[in-house]
Amino acid sequence: MEYFIELLFSGLTRGAIYALIALGYTMVYGIIGLINFAHGEIYMIGAFTAFIVSTVLSILGFPLLAIIVLAGLAAAVWSSAYGYTVEKLAYKPLRHAPRLSPLISAIGMSIFLQNYVLLAQTSDFQPFPELIPEFDFMEPFVHIVGSSDMVILVVTTLMMVGLTLLIKFTRIGKAMRATSQDRKMAMLVGINVDRVISATFIVGSALAAVGGLLIASHIGQINFFIGFIAGIKAFTAAVLGGIGSIPGAVLGGVILGLTESFATGYVSSDYEDVFAFSLLVLILIFKPSGLLGKAEIQKV
Amino acid sequence: MISFEELKRSFLVSLWFVFLTFPILVIKANPIERTIIWRWENMFFVAIGSFVLSILIRVVNTQKTKRLERRSASDSDTTTSEPLIQVILQNPRYLYPLAGAVTVFALVFPYLFDTYQTNIMTTALMYVVLGLGLNIVVGMAGLLDLGFVAFYAVGAYSYALLNAHFGIGFWMALPIGALFAASFGIILGFPVLRLRGDYLAIVTLGFGEIIRLILENWNEFSQGPSGISNIPRPGMFGIELSLEAAILYIYYIMVALVIVTIFVVNRLQDSRLGRAWIALREDEIACQAMGIDKTKTKLTAFALGATWAGMMGVIFAAKTTFINPASFTFLESAIILSIVVLGGMGSILGVIVGALVLILLPEYLRALSDYRMLAFGAILVVMMIFKPQGIISNVRRTYKYQKQKSGDVQ
Amino acid sequence: MNNTILKVSGLSMHFGGIQALKQLDLEVNRGEIVALIGPNGAGKTTFFNCVTGIYNPTEGDVILHTLQGKTSRLNGLKPNKVTEKGMARTFQNIRLFQSMTVLENVMIGRHCRTHSFILGAILRTPGNRQEEQAIIERSHEILEIVGLADEVDNYARNLSYGAQRRLEIARALATDPSLLLLDEPAAGMNPQETQELVQLILRLRDQGYSILLIEHDMKLVMTLSNRIYVMDYGEKIAQGTPEEIQSNPVVIKAYLGEDLDA
């Protein structure tokens, strides 16, 4: 039973991170219908920025709390900046091109960013400083659930509540919803669609950056390649929940996290990634609209 | 020519990129030795580089708009001069001698250059064939297959395993590997080919990774990450060749395969089937309404592409005599995709040139080889934005039927 | 001998909760030009999509009796099978293969009547060459019928709007259909192009094709059609000859009133 609960929490933690990244995929897809293949790299850049900033600050002797806040802020700022720039450079010129063109461009961007970080930093795994301390009050439960699991769950919940509020009640959130329903109509009623798209990339990237920071600190190491696998898994989560649907991304993330955790815990850990990929393939083949998504009606 | 306003904007762009690249390009922190290296020179490069590029793009864009304006102003003058390469391609008087010269050069290549060069050229030729194979799938049929490397792996492992267990030789393995890969293509293709384009891309990527992960983890079957070694090079009538002779031999096998592939792909593209692929790429619904079986047509493209990948897999195993799953990552698929995209989707000559450029250039310009993958990524983006039809676009259809028409109908 | 080409009975289509088509009956007889009209959103194109296999209708039957005397039930078949059975269509928003030549667009239509495959393409046996040649010749003939013989080597995307519409018809003709479905063939045409189109459609009728068309141009509908069906809100509200329709109060109320004198 304890093992079960342990797996449950580790699954939830993973799922929460997948959900954070999946939100970026789902929001972008909802608005411009593009699988933003480079999103995993945005997450990786967030983790790297956090790594660089926190290492520098800790060498300079800053207190832990300041390091956490500044590293998190820097990760969010730079990830957003990269997300924004990638959209402007690689996707915006292709908005009216055939559907596969922006996808190929996105794949190119993903490969470019991976190798950019590889060349600018290093190909080795870098030890990521432990930013989340072990809390005393968690002591009795430490064999089942660590402090960092708890922090990840709390932070992701907060982020998701924040995102929901943003989309439901703010001006830009309403504009986002309008644009995702009908871009032309949104334009006609005076919404600056370019700005909405940029905002979507910025918000999605910031969420991914927070995910990057949390998971890197949880696992304790990063390298330039972490975005690829995480990206595909988060995409799986987004599709599982129904791409374009925000609650779907969260649900998909949690289901994927739990599946992986239980499958590796009870079946075999060798095939951890195979489970995720197989899940992805199966959903796309049998229920491409996902759990909460709407089926598309082909227009002729 | 460049206004102050434009300079200012380029300056801002450059400032933005300095900010953007600051943490990753300038700071290098080492958490173990607790040292920080500040690489300010990188900031300088980024500033200058992005400023110059930004100005350049602005200039090119304004010239393009000017040219367009001029063209629409003098509307009567619609005789657009065709690029030289298309003139050569369309005229057998130029094309055949040129093709002959290239073939002769390919045949004497090993005598002009050393073994090392021959080896590199063999690799490049393999990518030519891989590119042409993927070109059927992506370029002609418009199916973005991101798991192409899986079929390459199937071919390579077919040879390695069949040889290890049953002692099957290279020449037997070549068709078997191709057949296995084709069957795999059909088995995988059947459920996924009804998916929409972008989902298809992701599913094929997923399949590619699943196959690689299985090869990596199923030790009893594939010997896991350590791979399979001592795969025999191709034999010639049962005679064991020396290393150098074997390299030469594989080179000529590759030359022959390239010629066969060009011949086959060229005929396919001008056939009933080839037309159906292109129509499918253009508009699936219209295509079905014209009586074309979507699934069957897509499946054929998928399986044919896989066939070539399988064949190249066998060659790869025979050439390197050692294979492991690390050779079959997504990046390999991405490289082949870059070749097709750079060369021109659907264009045979384009893909050949694309493969030679992308594989040979980094080999000969060693300084560049570190930046290889960076460049491949950039190529995908830049080509999509500025020249989606590739460096040599495909224009075959206008002249082909004109000839036949003048001969038979009029 | 049966004189009916197409018989649609009780055709219904639901999208989720929305009922786009309600119990539609429709018949096209041999050598007839039948028009399907109705206000925007009445479900005309949905009807076409159900009949041609792009949508699978929720209820009802679509029966085709071809000129060759074969009878087949079309609902539930895939679009390519429907075309193979002998019914071809054009699209409201032109869907040509833009980067192919005019001739090749028509050649695509011959696809379902020809057979050469991978080996045939590679080996180019005499049989395959003959077949290819036959495709080219037949496509040429069809292009002459629609008046595009001078444009064979032009790219489809370079054609004028009216010519593109005629090319769509040519492409459909290439599939050897017994029945031709035209979805708003005159949309966006200038008066002269429309006139040419009317001539073309009449010529096709005289050559033995039966035609079912959706159209908003009332003048064209009234001059061309033998019979007219009127739809509104997914239901058939009237049917009859042009004269009957013009004087039908239900139709006038639903839709025709302001357009009739156009």
Side-chain angles (χ1 to χ4, degrees):
Chain A
M1 190 60 200
E2 241 173 44
Y3 186 55
F4 176 83
I5 295 175
E6 193 187 322
L7 290 178
L8 179 74
F9 269 100
S10 97
L12 283 176
T13 312
R14 270 166 194 257
I17 301 292
Y18 292 153
L20 272 185
I21 312 172
L23 285 168
Y25 279 109
T26 240
M27 287 166 67
V28 166
Y29 195 92
I31 288 199
I32 56 173
L34 165 75
I35 300 173
N36 180 12
F37 208 85
H39 189 61
E41 269 52 62
I42 300 294
Y43 147 90
M44 178 270 291
I45 283 175
F48 249 98
T49 310
F51 156 75
I52 292 164
V53 170
S54 57
T55 310
V56 168
L57 293 181
S58 90
I59 291 172
L60 297 178
F62 277 60
L64 186 63
L65 191 67
I67 294 179
I68 295 173
V69 172
L70 288 175
L73 216 61
V77 166
W78 263 283
S79 275
S80 303
Y82 274 93
Y84 172 84
T85 313
V86 164
E87 194 271 325
K88 284 275 179 273
L89 285 182
Y91 307 152
K92 193 171 171 226
L94 295 172
R95 221 169 268 167
H96 303 288
R99 196 166 185 146
L100 287 184
S101 300
L103 182 60
I104 293 176
S105 181
I107 293 165
M109 213 56 203
S110 157
I111 296 170
F112 181 88
L113 288 176
Q114 254 177 42
N115 286 278
Y116 155 72
V117 173
L118 163 73
L119 292 169
Q121 293 286 322
T122 168
S123 61
D124 303 329
F125 269 99
Q126 293 288 309
F128 198 92
E130 207 173 298
L131 295 179
I132 307 167
E134 291 295 326
F135 301 116
D136 292 339
F137 64 85
M138 291 292 292
E139 191 59 41
F141 313 104
V142 76
H143 54 290
I144 322 176
V145 49
S147 300
S148 66
D149 289 286
M150 253 4 249
V151 172
I152 288 176
L153 287 177
V154 171
V155 172
T156 40
T157 311
L158 287 178
M159 303 285 301
M160 277 160 205
V161 171
L163 180 69
T164 313
L165 295 178
L166 175 92
I167 287 180
K168 274 239 154 82
F169 299 113
T170 61
R171 261 176 74 86
I172 189 78
K174 285 176 189 162
M176 279 178 186
R177 280 186 288 151
T179 310
S180 81
Q181 281 193 6
D182 190 335
R183 199 197 309 169
K184 269 201 195 117
M185 197 59 216
M187 242 140 115
L188 287 178
V189 297
I191 292 173
N192 183 340
V193 170
D194 281 343
R195 193 180 298 159
V196 171
I197 293 173
S198 291
T200 310
F201 272 85
I202 289 171
V203 173
S205 304
L207 292 174
V210 173
L213 169 77
L214 290 174
I215 195 75
S217 149
H218 182 62
I219 292 173
Q221 57 174 11
I222 56 169
N223 79 346
F224 73 98
F225 202 60
I226 56 170
F228 180 71
I229 291 284
I232 290 188
K233 288 188 179 170
F235 177 74
T236 308
V239 175
L240 178 60
I243 195 150
S245 149
I246 288 176
V250 178
L251 180 70
V254 171
I255 294 179
L256 179 65
L258 290 176
T259 313
E260 272 193 4
S261 174
F262 286 120
T264 50
Y266 288 120
V267 187
S268 155
S269 61
D270 286 347
Y271 288 96
E272 184 191 325
D273 294 339
V274 176
F275 293 124
F277 286 123
S278 310
L279 195 61
L280 171 67
V281 170
L282 291 177
I283 311 155
L284 282 181
I285 292 174
F286 293 108
K287 199 166 184 337
S289 55
L291 297 172
L292 303 182
K294 277 172 268 168
E296 269 180 54
I297 296 171
Q298 211 173 21
K299 288 197 187 99
V300 179
Chain B
M1 187 158 165
I2 302 164
S3 67
F4 175 71
E5 185 60 28
E6 280 178 320
L7 280 178
K8 202 175 89 187
R9 293 187 73 179
S10 290
F11 178 72
L12 288 177
V13 167
S14 135
L15 216 60
W16 172 254
F17 275 95
V18 166
F19 162 76
L20 195 65
T21 53
F22 177 73
I24 286 175
L25 220 46
V26 175
I27 309 172
K28 186 155 185 173
N30 189 327
I32 300 163
E33 290 166 11
R34 297 185 70 76
T35 53
I36 311 169
I37 306 166
W38 300 86
R39 298 167 296 179
W40 297 107
E41 71 280 6
N42 285 347
M43 186 190 252
F44 177 72
F45 294 143
V46 167
I48 298 293
S50 55
F51 184 75
V52 170
L53 262 180
S54 161
I55 292 272
L56 219 63
I57 290 174
R58 262 169 236 285
V59 170
V60 169
N61 271 346
T62 43
Q63 281 189 341
K64 215 190 228 169
T65 19
K66 266 187 202 156
R67 218 181 307 138
L68 280 179
E69 276 166 13
R70 224 179 298 143
R71 197 175 291 170
S72 55
S74 57
D75 212 52
S76 55
D77 180 35
T78 43
T79 47
T80 44
S81 61
E82 284 182 74
L84 180 67
I85 189 81
Q86 306 293 6
V87 175
I88 294 176
L89 272 181
Q90 287 172 34
N91 194 335
R93 255 196 19 232
Y94 302 126
L95 181 63
Y96 290 160
L98 196 74
V102 171
T103 316
V104 169
F105 177 72
L107 290 177
V108 298
F109 185 86
Y111 302 101
L112 300 177
F113 300 94
D114 58 15
T115 318
Y116 174 75
Q117 308 286 349
T118 310
N119 221 351
I120 290 174
M121 195 44 109
T122 310
T123 309
L125 292 179
M126 285 172 61
Y127 278 95
V128 168
V129 175
L130 285 170
L132 287 172
L134 186 64
N135 186 39
I136 297 177
V137 188
V138 180
M140 295 189 200
L143 307 165
L144 186 53
D145 179 1
L146 296 181
F148 196 61
V149 73
F151 306 121
Y152 189 42
V154 168
Y157 271 88
S158 302
Y159 177 39
L161 292 172
L162 285 174
N163 183 273
H165 295 303
F166 307 105
I168 283 179
F170 171 82
W171 288 108
M172 273 291 278
L174 196 61
I176 295 177
L179 206 68
F180 275 6
S183 324
F184 247 80
I186 291 172
I187 295 167
L188 299 191
F190 204 71
V192 305
L193 283 174
R194 59 197 178 85
L195 292 174
R196 234 183 31 214
D198 44 0
Y199 279 7
L200 175 78
I202 301 292
V203 168
T204 49
L205 169 70
F207 265 134
E209 286 296 294
I210 290 174
I211 287 188
R212 186 180 61 81
L213 288 166
I214 289 176
L215 289 175
E216 207 151 85
N217 288 297
W218 192 2
N219 285 319
E220 304 79 54
F221 174 70
S222 63
Q223 301 184 23
S226 52
I228 302 172
S229 47
N230 291 326
I231 304 166
R233 295 194 169 82
M236 202 188 213
F237 311 115
I239 307 163
E240 281 273 321
L241 295 168
S242 70
L243 178 60
E244 281 188 9
I247 286 173
L248 205 63
Y249 189 39
I250 295 183
Y251 173 79
Y252 282 117
I253 293 174
M254 267 324 298
V255 171
L257 275 176
V258 167
I259 293 172
V260 170
T261 310
I262 293 173
F263 175 80
V264 169
V265 174
N266 191 38
R267 287 210 151 176
L268 280 174
Q269 125 169 316
D270 285 342
S271 71
R272 169 177 174 270
L273 191 60
R275 280 193 301 272
W277 286 335
I278 294 161
L280 200 65
R281 181 187 70 193
E282 299 267 307
D283 190 329
E284 274 193 17
I285 290 174
C287 206
Q288 279 184 290
M290 288 305 108
I292 290 173
D293 188 334
K294 187 171 92 174
T295 317
K296 189 174 155 195
T297 310
K298 281 185 177 179
L299 213 53
T300 327
F302 213 62
L304 275 173
T307 309
W308 266 278
M311 221 145 55
M312 283 308 104
V314 175
I315 303 257
F316 175 74
K319 176 173 176 281
T320 55
T321 70
F322 165 75
I323 53 168
N324 72 348
S327 307
F328 307 106
T329 59
F330 166 65
L331 286 183
E332 201 67 27
S333 294
I335 292 173
I336 306 170
L337 180 67
S338 309
I339 288 172
V340 176
V341 168
L342 176 73
M345 287 193 255
S347 153
I348 294 176
L349 184 68
V351 171
I352 296 170
V353 174
L356 294 179
V357 168
L358 285 189
I359 303 303
L360 293 183
L361 217 56
E363 288 291 345
Y364 289 118
L365 301 173
R366 273 285 157 201
L368 286 184
S369 64
D370 281 348
Y371 297 92
R372 213 168 94 111
M373 287 315 296
L374 194 75
F376 286 176
I379 281 171
L380 288 179
V381 179
V382 171
M383 291 305 286
M384 277 301 121
I385 293 172
F386 294 105
K387 212 160 172 4
Q389 71 275 35
I391 45 178
I392 300 174
S393 54
N394 190 16
V395 287
R396 68 173 234 274
R397 298 167 212 101
T398 34
Y399 53 92
K400 169 87 202 314
Y401 298 103
Q402 199 169 29
K403 263 190 313 199
Q404 300 201 348
K405 180 196 75 180
S406 54
D408 297 292
V409 179
Q410 288 182 345
Chain C
M1 201 172 100
N2 197 338
N3 204 31
T4 315
I5 289 270
L6 178 74
K7 187 175 169 62
V8 178
S9 42
L11 194 75
S12 296
M13 180 77 204
H14 305 251
F15 289 113
I18 304 156
Q19 185 151 27
L21 295 178
K22 284 177 219 161
Q23 294 292 325
L24 238 86
D25 298 320
L26 182 146
E27 269 183 38
V28 181
N29 295 322
R30 183 166 295 187
E32 252 188 339
I33 298 177
V34 175
L36 181 61
I37 63 171
N40 282 322
K44 303 181 299 289
T45 296
T46 307
F47 175 79
F48 263 32
N49 287 342
C50 282
V51 172
T52 54
I54 289 176
Y55 298 151
N56 193 358
T58 324
E59 274 176 62
D61 264 322
V62 182
I63 310 283
L64 184 75
H65 307 281
T66 63
L67 294 174
Q68 293 78 30
K70 273 190 215 147
T71 297
S72 28
R73 191 163 174 270
L74 298 184
N75 42 323
L77 291 183
K78 283 188 180 163
N80 54 304
K81 288 284 167 207
V82 171
T83 307
E84 250 183 78
K85 297 283 182 200
M87 183 163 73
R89 70 172 291 176
T90 66
F91 292 92
Q92 185 180 341
N93 44 341
I94 298 175
R95 303 189 82 122
L96 289 169
F97 307 117
Q98 300 288 347
S99 74
M100 298 176 101
T101 64
V102 168
L103 184 66
E104 275 185 311
N105 265 278
V106 184
M107 290 170 77
I108 287 291
R110 298 298 300 158
H111 190 95
C112 62
R113 302 290 171 228
T114 45
H115 310 283
S116 82
F117 207 53
I118 302 175
L119 275 184
I122 298 171
L123 301 177
R124 281 201 191 150
T125 60
N128 296 125
R129 281 164 195 266
Q130 249 168 28
E131 185 184 272
E132 188 79 4
Q133 204 50 49
I135 295 177
I136 295 172
E137 279 164 25
R138 177 80 184 120
S139 305
H140 250 288
E141 284 169 31
I142 292 167
L143 282 172
E144 302 217 339
I145 296 176
V146 302
L148 286 172
D150 295 336
E151 304 278 3
V152 275
D153 287 333
N154 206 345
Y155 282 97
R157 60 166 179 266
N158 294 339
L159 293 184
S160 72
Y161 195 79
Q164 292 202 7
R165 288 241 175 250
R166 274 182 287 144
L167 180 55
E168 273 222 335
I169 297 178
R171 195 175 62 173
L173 287 177
T175 65
D176 291 344
S178 295
L179 176 69
L180 203 55
L181 304 190
L182 307 177
D183 195 348
E184 296 198 24
M189 282 189 169
N190 62 36
Q192 196 210 330
E193 286 172 331
T194 310
Q195 199 44 48
E196 282 170 20
L197 179 78
V198 169
Q199 296 307 320
L200 172 62
I201 293 177
L202 288 173
R203 218 159 47 233
L204 292 177
R205 200 247 329 253
D206 296 341
Q207 291 188 8
Y209 294 102
S210 309
I211 292 159
L212 172 63
L213 57 91
I214 295 176
E215 190 46 69
H216 279 297
D217 184 336
M218 279 310 131
K219 206 171 133 207
L220 182 143
V221 168
M222 293 305 164
T223 46
L224 270 183
S225 332
N226 299 96
R227 286 187 303 116
I228 298 174
Y229 288 83
V230 190
M231 279 178 76
D232 198 13
Y233 296 110
E235 277 181 290
K236 182 168 79 185
I237 58 169
Q239 71 181 80
T241 62
E243 296 75 38
E244 286 165 7
I245 295 297
Q246 275 170 328
S247 55
N248 186 326
V250 183
V251 177
I252 293 171
K253 186 166 172 245
Y255 160 70
L256 274 181
E258 70 274 16
D259 265 350
L260 197 57
D261 47 356

